[in-house]
Amino acid sequence: MNVAIIERGAAFLGAIAVGVSAIVQLKNDWKARGLDADVTKLLLGLMAFGCVLALLAAANVLGARS
């Protein structure tokens, strides 16, 4: 096996695990009020967005060389 394939597979699985946990926490904290809760929601949303980018990179859609 190629090392790049193993690395992409690990990134794919890690992005799924972190993304699902970020979305679940965002759903749980959605009704919270206050500045600290708003910052937490923003950071969880950015984490979920980063996981989408990591999934696209692991699937060789984003950052693929031709």
Side-chain angles (χ1 to χ4, degrees), residues 24-46:
V24 168
Q25 277 302 114
L26 184 60
K27 184 183 108 13
N28 291 341
D29 289 342
W30 192 252
K31 292 185 180 183
R33 298 288 175 227
L35 182 62
D36 56 342
D38 290 340
V39 171
T40 301
K41 289 186 263 188
L42 176 68
L43 291 176
L44 286 170
L46 288 173

Side-chain angles (χ1 to χ4, degrees), residues 1-35:
M1 282 193 122
N2 193 356
V3 176
I5 294 172
I6 296 170
E7 187 177 86
R8 272 191 243 132
F12 192 81
L13 292 175
I16 289 174
V18 172
V20 167
S21 66
I23 291 171
V24 168
Q25 277 302 114
L26 184 60
K27 184 183 108 13
N28 291 341
D29 289 342
W30 192 252
K31 292 185 180 183
R33 298 288 175 227
L35 182 62

